[in-house]
Amino acid sequence: MLADGRPERLVEALPAASAHRPESHRITDHVERLTGRPAGTFAGWAVDRAAEFG
Protein backbone atom coordinates (compact mmCIF):
# COMPACT_ATOMS: atom_id res chain seq x y z
CA MET A 1 0.00 0.00 0.00
CA LEU A 2 2.89 2.31 0.66
CA ALA A 3 4.20 1.64 -2.85
CA ASP A 4 0.82 2.75 -4.19
CA GLY A 5 1.21 6.08 -2.41
CA ARG A 6 -1.01 5.49 0.62
CA PRO A 7 -0.04 7.51 3.69
CA GLU A 8 2.06 5.55 6.18
CA ARG A 9 -0.31 6.36 9.05
CA LEU A 10 -3.22 4.86 7.12
CA VAL A 11 -1.26 1.72 6.25
CA GLU A 12 -0.38 1.23 9.92
CA ALA A 13 -3.92 1.96 11.13
CA LEU A 14 -5.81 -0.49 8.89
CA PRO A 15 -4.52 -3.76 10.41
CA ALA A 16 -4.92 -2.37 13.91
CA ALA A 17 -8.53 -1.36 13.19
CA SER A 18 -9.41 -4.74 11.72
CA ALA A 19 -8.00 -6.53 14.78
CA HIS A 20 -10.48 -4.66 16.99
CA ARG A 21 -13.52 -4.94 14.72
CA PRO A 22 -16.43 -6.76 16.37
CA GLU A 23 -17.30 -10.20 15.05
CA SER A 24 -20.19 -10.27 12.62
CA HIS A 25 -22.66 -13.09 12.09
CA ARG A 26 -24.38 -11.35 9.20
CA ILE A 27 -25.29 -13.66 6.33
CA THR A 28 -26.51 -12.40 2.97
CA ASP A 29 -27.56 -14.02 -0.28
CA HIS A 30 -25.48 -11.70 -2.47
CA VAL A 31 -23.21 -14.40 -3.87
CA GLU A 32 -26.13 -16.63 -4.80
CA ARG A 33 -27.98 -13.75 -6.44
CA LEU A 34 -24.89 -12.83 -8.46
CA THR A 35 -23.68 -16.31 -9.41
CA GLY A 36 -26.84 -18.40 -9.29
CA ARG A 37 -25.42 -20.77 -6.67
CA PRO A 38 -24.92 -20.57 -2.92
CA ALA A 39 -21.65 -19.28 -1.52
CA GLY A 40 -19.13 -21.82 -0.33
CA THR A 41 -16.51 -21.58 2.37
CA PHE A 42 -12.91 -20.57 1.92
CA ALA A 43 -11.92 -23.96 3.37
CA GLY A 44 -13.96 -25.75 0.71
CA TRP A 45 -12.43 -23.63 -2.02
CA ALA A 46 -8.92 -24.40 -0.71
CA VAL A 47 -9.58 -28.16 -0.55
CA ASP A 48 -10.98 -28.16 -4.09
CA ARG A 49 -7.85 -26.41 -5.38
CA ALA A 50 -5.14 -27.89 -3.16
CA ALA A 51 -3.43 -29.63 -6.09
CA GLU A 52 -2.98 -26.29 -7.83
CA PHE A 53 -0.88 -25.09 -4.90
CA GLY A 54 1.02 -28.33 -4.32
Side-chain angles (χ1 to χ4, degrees):
M1 290 172 33
L2 292 171
D4 288 334
R6 303 299 190 279
E8 186 174 349
R9 290 183 69 186
L10 173 65
V11 174
E12 292 172 355
L14 289 174
S18 67
H20 299 289
R21 186 177 62 216
E23 184 177 350
S24 173
H25 296 285
R26 181 177 180 194
I27 298 174
T28 70
D29 64 346
H30 294 140
V31 170
E32 187 169 5
R33 287 190 291 142
L34 290 168
T35 66
R37 59 185 177 155
T41 64
F42 177 76
W45 177 88
V47 168
D48 291 345
R49 290 161 181 79
E52 296 174 39
F53 296 95

